[in-house]
Amino acid sequence: MVGTKNHFTAEQAPCGKIVPGDHYEDRDDYGLVIRDEYYDCGCRRIRHEYHDGSTEVRAIRHDGKPVKGELEPNHGW
């Protein structure tokens, strides 16, 4: 697996701040997809799709608190 990393300049983080950060994606040929977003404020969004079809979606604020409700922006995923 070879991942890709793309920088963005301004996007709303889980804490509500508009900050830069990085999109990271990695996948294999068998259904595993890892998509993470790391924000400069310290927040993080996680979307992992596993081989069995299950999905894990989480958003964590920079203070370590999980975010409830809508967890991710629409990046065409």
Side-chain angles (χ1 to χ4, degrees), residues 7 10 30 49 67 74:
H7 185 73
Y30 305 102
E49 300 172 18
V67 176
N74 181 3

Side-chain angles (χ1 to χ4, degrees), residues 8 11-17 19 22-24 34-39 42-48 56-61 67 69-75 77:
F8 57 86
E11 189 172 291
Q12 187 171 7
C15 67
K17 295 179 182 178
V19 295
D22 295 300
H23 296 290
Y24 173 78
I34 296 173
R35 295 179 178 132
D36 294 336
E37 295 170 337
Y38 299 92
Y39 297 87
C43 291
R44 185 173 172 197
R45 278 195 178 93
I46 301 164
R47 180 177 178 87
H48 296 177
E56 175 185 10
V57 179
R58 295 185 291 146
I60 301 131
R61 291 171 34 119
V67 176
E70 185 165 344
L71 296 177
E72 58 188 297
N74 181 3
H75 293 294
W77 296 349

